[in-house]
């Protein structure tokens, strides 16, 4: 039976965690700080729980340079829950803003609501799901697909549409995009220039579940970002929202009903979560603790995220370089200009049989989690922060070795 040191987990999520963090968490789960009570058994209202939350918030803010006018929330529901939450909350913030503006002009708020739009930049399966959820909750008339890389056959092209083609709405409640599409291996190389902040917006919201803590973020350009913990931060169970505080206030439920707009469940209402320091309902303190330990470990290695960014880019280049060296065998799925550093997706010449041979041999060598998403197939190496440069080098070496073996076999068969 293999030990942890024998296996490298390239799974897309839940992703690998550093072994020392797991060992510390295992002890805390049994007996936290010598109290005789495991951390999962401590009340989420206890002083110990509040300390864990506050330390994690402080360390995240320090690592990513999050300004003081932003709130950090720990929530449940994963990214899928946030598809609904961001729509609910930013439509609510839009209504609150319009209520203030129109009160002085004497215009009818009900008429303004007919022009309400949420803009979505669709570059893969996750941003598509987010747009679909907004349509389900608010109606397709309020959702504008400002750009899409979806092809006529329903698949995505491994590209991001040129910004000159984006059809952004005026005065949208938000412009939403997924910074890194886990399934399709597409990552925005930088913050979109067409979304540059100005006096009147745009109001930009981004899903950063798969690449958070791996590069610098111009936080001030965003009204909110969110990310599931289970990729680069911790375990499945908590989702983090970083939101500019000015978008927290919501209109009354009576007004939203009068306007024919839905209101969020309390546990998806950012203002409620913020006012309760993420403790409106029973938060999983153990999951926050694990995330906090990951953050402390990152801070010991690099005081700011720039250090981890350099490592992420080095690892990605090692793996992409090996694939490019054998372009006759490997086909990298996304366009080179938008390749993800976190989720490296490729196909192998020879189809399913070749890819199965690659996966079987990889598993025999201790490489796990390399099978592509069920909707796309192929191979996917998720290069999260827990993957060390040495492990990335080992995978690159295997990619080269497999190609050489295939080449030798092809020559024998001629």
């Amino acid at each position: 039976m293999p030990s942890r040191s024998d296996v490298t987990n390239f799974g897309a999520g839940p992703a690998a965690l550093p072994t020392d963090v797991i060992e510390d968490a295992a002890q805390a789960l049994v007996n936290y700080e010598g109290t005789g009570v495991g951390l999962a058994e401590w009340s989420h209202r206890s002083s110990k729980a509040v300390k864990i939350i506050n330390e994690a918030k402080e360390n995240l803010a320090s690592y990513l340079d999050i300004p003081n006018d932003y709130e950090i929330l720990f929530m449940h529901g994963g990214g899928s829950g946030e598809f609904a939450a961001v729509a609910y909350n930013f439509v609510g913030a839009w209504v609150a803003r319009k209520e203030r503006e129109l009160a002085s002009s004497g215009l009818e708020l009900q008429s303004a609501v007919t022009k309400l739009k949420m803009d979505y930049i669709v570059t893969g399966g996750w941003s598509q799901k987010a747009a679909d959820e907004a349509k389900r909750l608010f109606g397709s008339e309020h959702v504008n697909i400002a750009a899409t890389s979806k092809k006529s056959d329903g698949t995505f092209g491994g590209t991001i549409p040129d910004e000159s083609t984006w059809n952004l709405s005026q005065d949208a409640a938000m412009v939403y995009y997924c910074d890194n599409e886990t399934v399709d291996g597409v990552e925005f190389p930088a913050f979109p220039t067409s979304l540059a902040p100005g006096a009147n917006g745009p109001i930009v919201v981004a899903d950063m579940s798969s690449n958070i803590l791996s590069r610098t973020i111009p936080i001030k350009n965003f009204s909110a970002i969110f990310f599931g913990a289970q990729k680069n931060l911790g375990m499945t169970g908590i989702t983090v929202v970083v939101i500019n505080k000015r978008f927290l206030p919501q209109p009354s439920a009576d007004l939203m009903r009068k306007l024919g707009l839905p209101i969020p469940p309390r546990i998806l209402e950012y203002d409620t979560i913020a006012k309760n320091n993420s403790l409106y309902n029973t938060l999983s303190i153990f999951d926050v603790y694990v995330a906090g330990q990951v953050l402390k470990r990152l801070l010991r290695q690099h005081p700011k995220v720039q250090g981890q960014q350099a490592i992420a880019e080095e690892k990605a280049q090692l793996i992409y370089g090996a694939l490019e060296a054998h372009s006759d065998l490997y086909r990298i799925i996304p366009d080179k200009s938008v390749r993800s550093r976190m989720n490296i997706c490729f196909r192998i010449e020879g189809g399913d049989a070749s890819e199965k041979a690659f996966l079987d041999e990889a598993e025999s060598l201790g490489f796990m989690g390399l099978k592509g998403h069920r909707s796309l197939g192929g191979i996917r190496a998720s290069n999260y922060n827990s993957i060390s440069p040495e492990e990335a080098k080992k995978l690159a070496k295997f990619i080269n070795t497999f190609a050489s073996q295939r080449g030798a076999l092809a020559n024998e068969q001629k």
Side-chain angles (χ1 to χ4, degrees), residues 116-184:
L116 165 67
K117 293 290 184 184
M118 291 172 278
D119 285 0
Y120 285 80
I121 312 298
V122 178
T123 54
W126 291 114
S127 49
Q128 180 69 67
K129 287 184 177 182
D132 289 345
E133 182 71 345
K135 289 178 182 178
R136 188 179 72 86
L137 294 172
F138 289 88
S140 58
E141 69 273 17
H142 293 304
V143 175
N144 172 44
I145 305 302
T148 182
S149 57
K150 196 170 190 176
K151 299 189 293 186
S152 58
D153 64 359
T155 63
F156 293 92
T159 62
I160 293 174
D162 188 274
E163 290 187 47
S164 64
T165 68
W166 293 8
N167 180 31
L168 297 170
S169 304
Q170 283 194 335
D171 193 32
M174 67 174 180
V175 181
Y176 180 108
Y177 74 94
C178 181
D179 205 41
N180 184 92
E181 291 280 4
T182 318
V183 174
D184 304 274

Side-chain angles (χ1 to χ4, degrees), residues 43-46 49-50 53 74 272-285:
S43 168
H44 63 298
R45 306 290 183 192
S46 68
V50 172
I53 290 171
F74 294 105
T272 296
I273 303 303
K275 287 175 179 175
N276 288 274
N277 194 28
S278 299
L279 292 171
Y280 175 77
N281 62 322
T282 308
L283 183 67
S284 175
I285 299 301

Side-chain angles (χ1 to χ4, degrees), residues 24-44 46 48 52 285-286 289:
D24 172 85
Q27 178 59 43
L29 189 60
V30 175
N31 185 352
Y32 181 59
E33 293 187 341
T35 60
V37 177
L39 183 53
E41 301 165 288
W42 275 93
S43 168
H44 63 298
S46 68
K48 291 185 182 297
I52 288 168
I285 299 301
F286 180 71
Y289 175 79

Side-chain angles (χ1 to χ4, degrees), residues 94 98 102 107-117 142 171:
W94 183 90
K98 287 297 174 186
L102 298 178
L107 297 176
E108 286 293 330
L109 185 56
Q110 185 73 63
S111 177
V113 168
T114 63
K115 300 176 183 177
L116 165 67
K117 293 290 184 184
H142 293 304
D171 193 32

Side-chain angles (χ1 to χ4, degrees), residues 202-214:
I203 295 166
V204 183
V205 175
D207 175 356
M208 295 189 174
S209 293
S210 298
N211 61 353
I212 196 67
L213 307 180
S214 73

